[in-house]
Amino acid sequence: MVHPLDPGVALRILRDMIRIRAVEEAIADRYAEQKMRCPTHLSIGQEGPAAAVGVVLGRQDLAVSGHRAHAHYLAKGGDLPAMIAEIYGKATGCSRGNGGSMHLVDEAVGFMGSTAIVGGTVPVGVGLALSLSVARRPGLVCIFIGDAVLETGVFYEAAGFAAVRKLPVLFVCENNLYSVYSSLEVRQPAGRALAEVAGALGLQASSGDGNDPRAAYGLLKSAADRVRTGAGPQFVELATYRWREHCGPLFDNDLGYRTEAEYLAWKARDPIPRLTEELRSEGTLDPAWLATTQAEIQAEIESAFAFAEVSPFPDPALAYADVSSWEITPFP
């Protein structure tokens, strides 16, 4: 189904999806150089939810994420050179070279951090929402999670608290069907819908196709609007699919935990050409704009990697430093 969408919003979503994929493809292409000495979890194939959320959120809104966070960081406005430098372990990285791919932060744009611990940022995000509520500040907190987070105790505790206090939280669940190599079929009873589980906890829940950017945007915009009007925490489950291996730049269909047919079926639902063709058929997409956009993104990526290459490594002495004295940028 094609959903009504302002042309400017649609083009921004398309640009963000193209940019996110190009960045991660560049990471994958360079990973074998052994200069990125940290695990990296790519979201190639599932750019739709991140790009749609990025348009829905404003500067006053905050976001936290998990281990597959590149797309979320970039969609929220995070600094690309700082992200690449962080993956290279450089002092100019967004976590000063201390965190790597799974620990990204840019408080200046409201991206408050990501973590390798599954579900680890859920209570952090709910705590941030509590702080907004107590201070009566505008904005909401977006908590990006994967399907496996609903199998952690901390999700139930934090979601229940958010519901009781009617906190301004938007849970965005990217359901890519797998927790590492375990499918939903071996982790959840047949017929159990994740959105229904969230709804049973007191969250207003909805679900949709994350690879349909228009549908995803519509669900997310409606949910965010409800949060902003004081309706309490919302949960949006978006079906999507990662193309590459759980951790790393390669493909892992040969391991047998998913079939080649399943992979190809999801690849055929690629959100980027889907939205591109819709906009082209509507006469909204100018081929010159697309070509210019792609060239600009490639130039930006090359510049970011060049920045990371020449940046210094952190001073080893800082490994034992008292970080309490570090200057922290207050969130907007």
Side-chain angles (χ1 to χ4, degrees):
M1 177 181 180
V2 176
H3 295 254
L5 191 60
D6 177 87
V9 172
L11 288 173
R12 179 179 163 186
I13 292 175
L14 178 60
R15 185 187 190 281
D16 285 354
M17 288 195 298
I18 292 171
R19 180 172 180 255
I20 290 166
R21 179 166 301 179
V23 168
E24 293 209 308
E25 291 284 8
I27 292 171
D29 290 344
R30 293 167 167 83
Y31 198 77
E33 296 173 356
Q34 293 290 302
K35 296 179 181 179
M36 293 175 263
R37 302 303 299 272
C38 64
T40 185
H41 300 73
L42 304 177
S43 57
I44 295 169
Q46 57 182 66
E47 298 87 354
V53 175
V55 175
V56 169
L57 299 181
R59 294 279 297 189
Q60 78 280 8
D61 299 319
L62 309 178
V64 293
S65 183
H67 55 276
R68 202 177 304 278
H70 301 162
H72 310 147
Y73 174 91
L74 293 173
K76 189 61 177 73
D79 186 79
L80 176 59
M83 187 187 95
I84 301 300
E86 185 60 37
I87 298 174
Y88 272 65
K90 298 300 184 70
T92 53
C94 59
S95 295
R96 305 191 183 193
N98 297 300
S101 169
M102 294 183 283
H103 301 91
L104 307 175
V105 60
D106 191 336
E107 294 182 344
V109 297
F111 193 85
M112 307 307 289
S114 62
T115 179
I117 301 173
V118 175
T121 45
V122 172
V124 174
V126 170
L128 288 167
L130 178 62
S131 73
L132 293 181
S133 178
V134 170
R136 298 187 178 182
R137 290 189 51 182
L140 60 81
V141 179
C142 176
I143 304 177
F144 289 99
I145 61 174
D147 47 281
V149 170
L150 273 75
E151 295 155 22
T152 64
V154 72
F155 172 78
Y156 291 85
E157 294 173 347
F161 181 78
V164 169
R165 296 294 294 265
K166 295 189 72 173
L167 297 180
V169 178
L170 174 62
F171 290 95
V172 177
C173 177
E174 294 174 316
N175 184 354
N176 65 14
L177 306 180
Y178 292 93
S179 174
V180 191
Y181 306 126
S182 298
S183 70
L184 275 173
E185 296 175 352
V186 300
R187 295 185 286 115
Q188 295 286 349
R192 175 181 286 176
L194 299 186
E196 293 178 1
V197 173
L201 299 175
L203 309 177
Q204 188 169 345
S206 58
S207 60
D209 184 357
N211 281 20
D212 179 349
R214 293 176 186 266
Y217 173 81
L219 285 173
L220 292 163
K221 180 67 165 58
S222 296
D225 287 346
R226 289 193 293 271
V227 174
R228 297 187 202 284
T229 57
Q234 308 289 310
F235 180 97
V236 180
E237 175 193 0
L238 296 170
T240 189
Y241 199 80
R242 60 171 170 83
W243 293 2
R244 296 190 181 241
E245 59 188 330
H246 162 69
C247 179
L250 306 177
F251 295 88
D252 60 3
N253 296 347
D254 60 300
L255 298 181
Y257 73 97
R258 59 182 182 179
T259 66
E260 188 72 11
E262 178 186 274
Y263 164 77
L264 292 174
W266 275 96
K267 194 170 183 181
R269 297 169 60 186
D270 187 341
I272 296 178
R274 181 175 189 164
L275 184 57
T276 300
E277 290 306 314
E278 289 176 359
L279 295 177
R280 183 177 289 122
S281 66
E282 296 166 4
T284 302
L285 184 62
D286 179 357
W289 174 89
L290 183 59
T292 299
T293 295
Q294 291 172 328
E296 290 174 347
I297 289 171
Q298 287 302 321
E300 180 191 16
I301 291 170
E302 292 299 327
S303 177
F305 275 93
F307 171 78
E309 290 273 8
V310 301
S311 292
F313 285 103
D315 182 347
L318 292 178
Y320 307 97
D322 178 5
V323 299
S324 64
S325 63
W326 287 9
E327 181 181 351
I328 302 296
T329 304
F331 59 75

